[in-house]
Amino acid sequence: MTRTLVRISAWRFVATFGVVSLLADLVYEGARSVSGPFLASLGASAVVVGVVTGAGEAVALAGRLVTGPLADRTRAYWPITLVGYGVTLAAVPLLGLLPSLGVVAVLFLLERAGKAIRSPAKDVMLSHASAAVGRGRGFAVHEALDQIGALAGPLLVALLLAVTGGYRAGFLVLALPGVLAMLLLGWLRTRVPDPSRYEPNPGPDTGPDSGRLPPLFWRYLGFVTVSTAGYATFGVLGYHLAVRDVLPVFAIPLAYAAAMAVDGVAALGAGWFYDRVGPRSLAAVPVFAALTPVLAFTTTPAVAVAGVLAWGVVLGIQESTMRAAVADLVPTARRGTGYGVFAAAYGAAALVGGALTGYLYGRSIPVLVAVVAVIQVIALGLLVTVTRAWRPVA
């Protein structure tokens, strides 16, 4: 390890990047926690909410088809990451200044576009550091810190919503942690200009423009895509909680915050388990994804909240262990591309999941539950084939 290029330990890098994500999540998860009710207050239907929130995830993830290969070709990981965070952290406060349905939909998409810009480059840098501390544990600790912000943001928005009775103040206050995140990110760049120095054994390096992504990666991607296509967005869950009067509007961000807390705990558990048993730990994803609509789309508050928490378990594993697995399947020089392709497929599936569950919700909740269950059974079968062929590249 070259000390002139890496001035802090791998664990400290992971933790500091986690704090950056904590502050950023405080901003955009605070906004997302009220996305369904906020859009509904502007006249959106359940289908519109499902499409906007699903399309937001698609933009956040499918856009990485461009930014992933760009990161591999340029190796400009830090500049790309800084630009991506800047776009996201500027878009959220504008939601409080421009409250019309069309503009708000665009701003939600723009916030997600910022994530598309930064995520492959950020994940590659994090994968280098996590190689020194354990793939599952590194991504899990980052995700757990990330989720502290995801918990604090909705709580802050819920407080301001209860006090003011409107959304404007909550969105505007979120500008402050955004500024702090950018300052900390700039400091981290000065301490670790080249995070690749953390990785002791990067595996085969065929160059960013040669070779193909491994066949096992594509098989793994099939499992991820199918499972995500049967996973509801929180926008649809929040819409149900609001329009059926399951919870008071100010309590919906609290339910989201609870899901974020569960997300963080699930990420830590799944990351630890992944480092010991590999992809078998991912079997929890289709199980909890199938359980979510069974519970969440009831009208009993406690049961519906339990469904939201099950949704949080799935999200925690998706955001930590599923990402860690990509680094184990893709050679170092193609890792940005791998993360981009992974995220694009995940994003397309998220759009399908949001639109599908929004559409079926408006038709028949029992049919929605049955369709999601069938999708997750198929996903579980695909995971079995991946587990049998598993072989990390490094």
Side-chain angles (χ1 to χ4, degrees), residues 7 77-78 118 161:
R7 299 184 178 91
Y77 300 118
W78 278 119
R118 69 180 180 267
L161 185 59

Side-chain angles (χ1 to χ4, degrees), residues 231-324:
Y231 178 63
T233 64
F234 186 78
V236 177
L237 300 184
Y239 182 90
H240 167 75
L241 297 176
V243 300
R244 298 292 181 92
D245 294 321
V246 180
L247 295 177
V249 172
F250 76 86
I252 295 175
L254 299 179
Y256 185 84
M260 294 302 98
V262 169
D263 176 326
V265 174
L268 288 172
W272 180 89
F273 200 41
Y274 175 81
D275 284 339
R276 283 155 180 77
V277 304
R280 285 177 291 174
S281 62
L282 297 174
V285 170
V287 172
F288 279 92
L291 183 62
T292 295
V294 175
L295 302 174
F297 291 125
T298 65
T299 55
T300 303
V303 177
V305 170
V308 172
L309 298 183
W311 177 87
V313 170
V314 178
L315 187 64
I317 301 172
Q318 288 176 336
E319 293 290 332
S320 59
T321 312
M322 277 188 173
R323 288 162 54 213

Side-chain angles (χ1 to χ4, degrees), residues 143-162:
E143 174 66 8
L145 287 168
D146 180 281
Q147 291 314 108
I148 294 174
L151 172 64
L155 290 176
L156 177 60
V157 170
L159 174 63
L160 292 170
L161 185 59

Side-chain angles (χ1 to χ4, degrees), residues 7 36 62 68 80 162 173 216 229-230 243 247-248 261 285 289 293 321 343 358 365 376 378 389:
R7 299 184 178 91
I80 293 171
V173 166
L216 185 56
V243 300
L247 295 177
V285 170
T321 312
I365 290 177
Q376 298 306 332
I378 295 171

